[in-house]
Amino acid sequence: MTIHLNLSGGDPLALMQTLQSALVRAKDELRIELLGPGMLIPDTALILFEILRHRPARLRIHVHTWSCLSEGAVLVWLAGDTRSMRSDTWIEIPSEPEAFKERPGFCRAI
């Protein structure tokens, strides 16, 4: 079974419902195709990661991205048992936020 998650929608509830519905319907394997701008806000990415983490043990997940990925979207891509991407895509891992560099005590507290 294959589903498409459109990262450009920005509606966490719609993404959650699409993913949860697919996990219920999938038998042994689910292919998730990521489309859109390749970015998710961290909280949405963490929600989707948590849903994938608590999937049925029998279910194998392959995540394929058609888009370049950055920030939270990378976490969703990494949640698959296997992963693939379009041949000319890239992944961007941002450096630590400026606020952490300016206030190292704040970073340690977190």
Side-chain angles (χ1 to χ4, degrees), residues 71-84:
E71 301 180 9
V74 176
L75 183 61
V76 175
W77 185 72
L78 289 171
D81 297 307
T82 57
R83 293 160 291 287
S84 61

Side-chain angles (χ1 to χ4, degrees), residues 25-47:
R25 291 185 330 235
K27 295 195 183 340
D28 296 324
E29 188 173 304
L30 175 63
R31 179 179 171 95
I32 301 170
E33 296 197 358
L34 303 177
L35 304 161
M39 296 178 71
L40 284 173
I41 61 172
D43 197 48
T44 300
L46 289 168
I47 289 168

Side-chain angles (χ1 to χ4, degrees), residues 6 27 37 75 80 90 96:
N6 185 348
K27 295 195 183 340
L75 183 61
W90 45 263
E96 65 183 313

Side-chain angles (χ1 to χ4, degrees), residues 13-15 25 29 40 50 56 58-59 63 67 72 81 86-87 92 99-100 107:
L13 184 58
L15 292 170
R25 291 185 330 235
E29 188 173 304
L40 284 173
E50 185 75 5
R58 63 166 168 63
L59 186 61
V63 182
S67 305
D81 297 307
R86 193 183 75 219
S87 64
E92 177 185 23
F100 288 174
C107 181

Side-chain angles (χ1 to χ4, degrees), residues 97-108:
E98 288 299 317
F100 288 174
K101 292 178 186 173
E102 296 168 6
R103 299 171 50 198
F106 177 71
C107 181
R108 284 190 300 278

